[in-house]
């Protein structure tokens, strides 16, 4: 039986961390030439074309046709019933869409089932760390990826952040489940629906005059954009696990990477852009992610929404303390510069808690230090994380329609009536 606490952690981390997964774009001022070699990819070869000029043409054309023909609301209703990987596609879908989805739901030929099984075990044992890093390394980082922040803000999801996070949480949660890529799991379904949603945003967002005023690209969600979001998730997560000196066997590390390689493929990324190792992932991220992080007015607003989300939960008992806790955790994970960009104030008590107690907390979690022998601050740290996980899980699970169904958007942010 799946550990319910791990479910809360992964759902919570997914809620914030997968914010970028359904976003409309990602790498901001990416003016540098593309130099990463396809020899370092899972394909081992490729044309080497700059992914900033590569999209997803087949599904883009298909979804644009559905949107222009008014068919998307009906398609979304049918897709609500498609929930598990092995389930037959709903009847009544347009034939062209059905044919595309049957192809898109296939795992790549290079999938290693043994690694995917090991990744399940890794997720079970490292669930707490993954939840924290998905949420606060990856999720908050998305607000300082300018293209991503602007796209989230001006797309339909920007008008209802709880609904958006409820749906984007599925990616971060589904990849950590025991049956993620198996017939009874939901990860393949989530990826295919996300790919359809991406195509919808690519068609709709360029029609927004508000997005056009700030965008530095004609069309969002290129292959480069998706990989920047990808690096803000597994690459950034693994970098933090290493930084925190969490002992991870090589097989576990490779299995975790493989689960995300398969995910990238299911999201429509070409094999020649998917790194074949952590060294290659770090090299690619150094070129496409690190240099483009920067503040934007939209990102600052989104970050404030995320830090205030607990106040949305009716009667949330920690609504007055959660923002300081989340702000301090964000500063600890992402550093002073990014916290400054996002206008996150300092919280001396909570800043000290994370600075002093995080590494001893890890040593307790790893069995290196007995809890009763740890400083009192570390013992309180356990309660702190239980409360963060509980409140954030309550937020995610208390709103929206269930089962959660990712949909093709039919418009942009309705707060802008002239879109």
């Amino acid at each position: 039986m799946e550990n319910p606490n791990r479910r809360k952690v992964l759902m919570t981390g997914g809620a914030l961390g997968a914010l970028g997964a359904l976003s409309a774009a990602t790498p901001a001022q990416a003016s540098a030439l593309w130099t990463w070699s396809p020899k370092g990819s899972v394909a081992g070869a490729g044309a080497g074309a700059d992914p900033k000029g590569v999209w997803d043409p087949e599904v883009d054309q298909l979804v644009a046709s559905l949107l222009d023909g008014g068919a998307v609301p009906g398609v979304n209703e049918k897709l609500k019933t498609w929930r598990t990987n092995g389930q037959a596609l709903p009847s009544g879908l347009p034939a062209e869409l059905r044919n595309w989805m049957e192809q898109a739901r296939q795992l790549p030929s290079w999938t290693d089932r043994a690694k995917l099984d090991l990744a399940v075990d890794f997720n079970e044992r490292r669930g707490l760390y993954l939840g924290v890093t998905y949420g606060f390394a990856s999720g908050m980082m998305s607000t300082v990826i300018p293209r991503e922040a602007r796209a989230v803000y001006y797309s339909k999801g920007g008008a209802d952040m709880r609904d958006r996070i409820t749906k984007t949480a599925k990616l971060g949660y589904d990849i950590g489940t025991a049956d993620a890529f198996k017939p009874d799991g939901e990860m393949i379904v989530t990826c295919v629906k996300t790919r359809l949603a991406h195509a919808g945003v690519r068609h709709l967002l360029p029609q927004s005059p508000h997005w056009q005023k700030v965008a530095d690209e004609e069309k969002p969600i290129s292959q480069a954009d998706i990989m920047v979001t990808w690096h803000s998730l597994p690459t950034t997560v693994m970098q933090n696990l290493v930084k925190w000196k969490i002992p991870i066997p090589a097989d576990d590390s490779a299995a975790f990477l493989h689960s995300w390689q398969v995910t990238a493929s299911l999201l429509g990324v070409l094999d020649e852009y998917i790194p074949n190792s952590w060294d290659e992932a770090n090299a690619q991220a150094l070129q496409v992610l690190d240099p483009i992080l920067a503040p934007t007015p939209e990102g600052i607003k989104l970050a404030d929404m995320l830090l205030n989300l607990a106040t949305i939960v009716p009667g949330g008992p920690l609504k007055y303390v959660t923002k300081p806790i989340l702000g301090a955790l964000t500063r600890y994970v992402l550093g002073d510069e990014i916290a400054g960009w996002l206008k996150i104030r300092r919280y001396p008590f909570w800043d000290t808690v994370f600075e002093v107690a995080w590494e001893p907390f890890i040593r307790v979690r790893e069995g290196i230090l007995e809890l009763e022998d740890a400083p009192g601050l570390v013992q309180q740290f356990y309660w702190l994380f239980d409360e963060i996980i509980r409140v954030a899980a309550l937020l995610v699970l208390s709103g929206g329609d269930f089962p959660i169904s990712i949909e093709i958007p039919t418009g942009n942010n309705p707060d802008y009536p002239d879109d």
Side-chain angles (χ1 to χ4, degrees):
M1 179 179 295
E2 185 177 3
N3 184 331
N5 290 327
R6 184 177 68 88
R7 182 183 189 277
K8 288 183 178 181
V9 173
L10 291 174
M11 192 69 173
T12 300
L16 297 175
L19 176 65
L22 292 182
S23 73
T26 336
Q29 314 101 291
S31 57
L33 293 176
W34 172 255
T35 59
W36 188 78
S37 172
K39 292 180 180 179
S41 71
V42 295
D50 190 331
K52 290 191 291 293
V54 182
W55 288 271
D56 203 349
E58 184 179 0
V59 68
D60 287 354
Q61 182 178 2
L62 174 60
V63 171
S65 176
L66 294 173
L67 282 165
D68 292 343
V72 166
V75 167
N76 281 336
E77 280 301 310
K78 290 180 174 61
L79 289 181
K80 284 182 180 180
T81 66
W82 186 46
R83 299 169 188 166
T84 59
N85 302 331
Q87 184 181 349
L89 294 178
S91 61
L93 290 173
E96 190 176 2
L97 175 62
R98 171 180 290 276
N99 293 338
W100 177 85
M101 291 177 67
E102 288 291 6
Q103 175 273 323
R105 71 193 294 189
Q106 303 303 313
L107 291 174
S109 60
W110 39 264
T111 300
D112 186 326
R113 294 281 188 175
K115 286 185 177 180
L116 292 182
D117 288 342
L118 183 56
V120 169
D121 185 56
F122 174 76
N123 284 318
E124 177 69 37
R125 287 180 284 109
R126 306 298 187 185
L128 177 65
Y129 307 137
L130 295 179
V132 170
T133 47
Y134 280 146
F136 297 95
S138 307
M140 293 302 290
M141 180 181 287
S142 71
T143 66
V144 291
I145 298 174
R147 286 187 182 178
E148 181 169 329
R150 290 166 181 151
V152 170
Y153 189 77
Y154 294 111
S155 66
K156 184 177 180 180
D160 187 343
M161 288 299 290
R162 184 168 71 172
D163 179 71
R164 181 184 184 85
I165 288 175
T166 298
K167 291 176 179 175
T168 56
K170 275 190 66 62
L171 191 83
Y173 169 65
D174 288 347
I175 196 171
T177 59
D179 51 4
F181 298 97
K182 295 178 180 179
D184 290 339
E186 299 184 16
M187 188 61 179
I188 295 173
V189 173
T190 295
C191 287
V192 172
K193 288 184 178 181
T194 297
R195 199 170 166 187
L196 288 166
H198 280 166
V201 175
R202 273 193 291 265
H203 184 64
L204 293 168
L205 200 59
Q207 301 174 31
S208 166
H210 306 283
W211 180 79
Q212 289 177 354
K213 289 177 184 177
V214 297
D216 61 351
E217 55 186 345
E218 293 184 6
K219 183 167 63 172
I221 320 183
S222 67
Q223 297 266 303
D225 296 337
I226 296 173
M227 284 310 298
V228 169
T229 294
W230 190 91
H231 286 302
S232 76
L233 287 158
T235 306
T236 300
V237 165
M238 185 55 68
Q239 289 171 348
N240 276 277
L241 298 185
V242 170
K243 180 176 69 176
W244 294 332
K245 300 181 178 63
I246 298 173
I248 301 173
D251 287 350
D252 281 356
S253 179
F256 178 63
L257 173 62
H258 189 67
S259 68
W260 279 98
Q261 290 168 328
V262 172
T263 297
S265 179
L266 289 170
L267 289 172
V269 177
L270 300 178
D271 287 357
E272 69 173 272
Y273 300 128
I274 303 173
N276 64 13
S277 68
W278 285 119
D279 284 345
E280 291 291 346
N282 289 329
Q284 190 184 98
L286 194 61
Q287 179 180 350
V288 302
L289 174 64
D290 296 8
I292 57 88
L293 298 178
T296 62
E298 296 84 0
I300 292 169
K301 292 175 184 176
L302 289 172
D304 191 61
M305 290 180 196
L306 291 172
L307 294 176
N308 282 288
L309 278 176
T311 64
I312 299 174
V313 180
L318 296 184
K319 65 181 180 179
Y320 297 112
V321 72
T322 298
K323 184 173 181 178
I325 292 172
L326 301 185
L329 182 53
T330 299
R331 179 179 295 277
Y332 179 77
V333 175
L334 294 183
D336 288 338
E337 182 177 41
I338 290 179
W341 288 348
L342 296 176
K343 301 187 183 302
I344 297 173
R345 55 163 288 194
R346 291 187 178 276
Y347 299 97
F349 174 76
W350 293 114
D351 289 343
T352 300
V353 166
F354 288 104
E355 288 290 342
V356 172
W358 178 246
E359 290 195 12
F361 168 76
I362 289 176
R363 290 199 293 274
V364 172
R365 294 287 303 185
E366 292 298 314
I368 300 170
L369 177 68
E370 293 294 332
L371 180 59
E372 57 267 26
D373 296 330
L377 193 59
V378 176
Q379 297 181 32
Q380 293 178 35
F381 217 55
Y382 272 80
W383 172 87
L384 167 67
F385 272 90
D386 284 345
E387 289 299 287
I388 290 175
I389 292 164
R390 183 185 66 79
V391 171
L394 175 62
L395 168 68
V396 172
L397 299 175
S398 65
D401 298 325
F402 287 85
I404 298 168
S405 181
I406 297 166
E407 298 182 344
I408 303 170
T410 55
N412 293 313
N413 191 331
D415 287 344
Y416 302 99
D418 55 338
D419 278 8

